[in-house]
Amino acid sequence: MVWSRQEPGGDRLYWSPNTEAMGGTPRWAAPYGLIVDDAANSTTTPSICGVRSPELMAWKGSADDFIWYSRWDAARNTWGPQIRTAMQTQNSPTVVCFRERTFIFWRNTDTGAGGSPRHRSEFGDVVWQEFIDGEWVFPGNPTIYSYETMAFAADGVAAAWSTREDALYIAWQDVTHDVVTRDVAYRASWMKLAKNPKFGYVWEERIGVIPSAAPGATPALVSDGNAIYAAWRNVENDHISWTWSVDGGSWFGPYTLTDRLTSAGPALAALGTSDLVMAWKGAGDDTWIWWSRLRDGVWGEQQAFTDREIHANRPVSLWSPVLG
């Protein structure tokens, strides 16, 4: 678990590793401040990926718009040096492991070199890169130090590797404006990176929508090795809703959890098949981080972490091993 906490004099990242997250009662070790470089602290939520253990974490710096990252130091059992990239964003980047590859998605602020944006919105285009041999490069091409522009614009994305389908899902808050009525509509949209018989792994052209989902921010996404789960804060209130799908073709629900509130949105992690953990920052003046466990389709009682807080409307980030 990692989060960004407001403190006197600035923001600071905190990290709490899993100790007994696989089976039994999930537990986390005591949290500790992670980043000591002021420029590398963050006002947004970091993202973590890894297959069997944490491998890479990325976040937006607090002093500027540059994306920073750190790699897991297995020998020291902690995060390694913080490294600033040449990539700039105004929001939280997302990293995800897919097969033996590592991707990063972020909201682009550059309309010049590196890519020609094809879609315009109040948010900005989503672009992505791949991490190859210590460098962030064009996906699938380590000789091009650039990014590829996606087919949509959004404030951020969630990503999850479905080992059952051998596919990568991404989801985002899709905001549309009616120029005549000036109505604003909120949807949860998704895409899939899957294997094509001729061209290898490519993005499917169809952009899907989770029915009846109106997220107030970027939704959370996770795979338990069998199904894809999504959760979000409702745009019309602070309640959390969730749903699941086997292949994106049909989604069940959504179901609203009226016993819990958040002003930032939830995070999801998978412990096993039909066994998930959700964590979120409370709503309004509630600064505690809360968590709950899903088993066989039923969410358990919400519990508060009394040793960790978030003093801003920011989600937490969870990591769990890739399940297959």
Side-chain angles (χ1 to χ4, degrees), residues 18-197:
N18 300 358
T19 57
E20 295 181 19
M22 309 303 290
T25 301
R27 294 190 178 95
W28 284 264
Y32 59 89
L34 189 62
I35 305 299
V36 296
D37 185 338
D38 288 341
N41 278 309
S42 182
T43 56
T44 64
T45 303
S47 175
I48 310 172
C49 72
V51 177
R52 295 176 182 83
S53 69
E55 295 178 20
L56 190 144
M57 177 170 60
W59 65 95
K60 171 193 165 302
S62 61
D64 49 40
D65 290 336
F66 286 100
I67 294 175
W68 294 70
Y69 75 95
S70 178
R71 302 179 75 174
W72 182 255
D73 187 336
R76 297 174 57 237
N77 197 37
T78 189
W79 292 99
Q82 304 99 45
I83 303 171
R84 196 184 80 165
T85 73
M87 305 175 292
Q88 290 182 279
T89 184
Q90 294 180 358
N91 209 349
S92 301
T94 298
V95 288
V96 60
C97 291
F98 175 59
R99 299 173 64 84
E100 70 284 354
R101 307 171 71 178
T102 300
F103 299 128
I104 187 169
F105 299 83
W106 77 96
R107 172 187 168 188
N108 186 29
T109 61
D110 180 15
T111 58
S116 299
R118 297 173 292 172
H119 304 268
R120 300 261 57 87
S121 81
E122 64 177 290
F123 290 136
D125 298 295
V126 170
V127 297
W128 67 307
Q129 281 185 304
E130 184 171 0
F131 192 65
I132 301 178
D133 296 330
E135 300 286 348
W136 293 103
V137 298
F138 195 89
N141 194 329
T143 65
I144 302 178
Y145 297 93
S146 183
Y147 56 76
E148 182 176 17
T149 304
M150 298 293 295
F152 62 91
D155 199 25
V157 303
W161 172 15
S162 170
T163 54
R164 176 185 177 276
E165 294 183 85
D166 190 23
L168 176 68
Y169 280 82
I170 60 173
W172 64 94
Q173 179 202 44
D174 196 347
V175 184
T176 59
H177 299 261
D178 190 307
V179 296
V180 177
T181 65
R182 297 189 178 182
D183 291 336
V184 181
Y186 297 84
R187 303 188 304 179
S189 297
W190 60 273
M191 286 181 66
K192 183 194 299 187
L193 180 73
K195 193 169 185 178
N196 181 286

Side-chain angles (χ1 to χ4, degrees), residues 162-319:
S162 170
T163 54
R164 176 185 177 276
E165 294 183 85
D166 190 23
L168 176 68
Y169 280 82
I170 60 173
W172 64 94
Q173 179 202 44
D174 196 347
V175 184
T176 59
H177 299 261
D178 190 307
V179 296
V180 177
T181 65
R182 297 189 178 182
D183 291 336
V184 181
Y186 297 84
R187 303 188 304 179
S189 297
W190 60 273
M191 286 181 66
K192 183 194 299 187
L193 180 73
K195 193 169 185 178
N196 181 286
K198 289 185 177 181
F199 306 108
Y201 289 93
V202 296
W203 291 104
E204 295 184 352
E205 293 185 4
R206 181 176 74 95
I207 294 180
V209 176
I210 299 177
S212 302
T218 303
L221 203 65
V222 75
S223 170
D224 67 353
N226 181 55
I228 293 289
Y229 295 82
W232 60 91
R233 177 179 66 86
N234 296 327
V235 71
E236 68 273 11
N237 54 47
D238 286 334
H239 288 305
I240 297 173
S241 291
W242 71 286
T243 182
W244 63 278
S245 174
V246 174
D247 59 4
S250 61
W251 295 83
F252 294 85
Y255 309 100
T256 299
L257 302 170
T258 57
D259 65 333
R260 59 203 65 185
L261 298 168
T262 180
S263 55
L268 293 174
L271 307 182
T273 303
S274 300
D275 189 357
L276 307 183
V277 167
M278 175 190 293
W280 65 95
K281 182 255 177 199
D285 295 334
D286 181 1
T287 60
W288 279 356
I289 296 176
W290 296 76
W291 72 280
S292 178
R293 188 174 186 179
L294 175 78
R295 278 181 151 174
D296 299 323
V298 178
W299 285 101
E301 182 181 356
Q302 56 180 325
Q303 304 175 59
F305 287 107
T306 58
D307 63 345
R308 57 203 72 185
E309 297 178 278
I310 301 179
H311 297 276
N313 292 333
R314 302 169 186 165
V316 301
S317 182
L318 296 177
W319 173 83

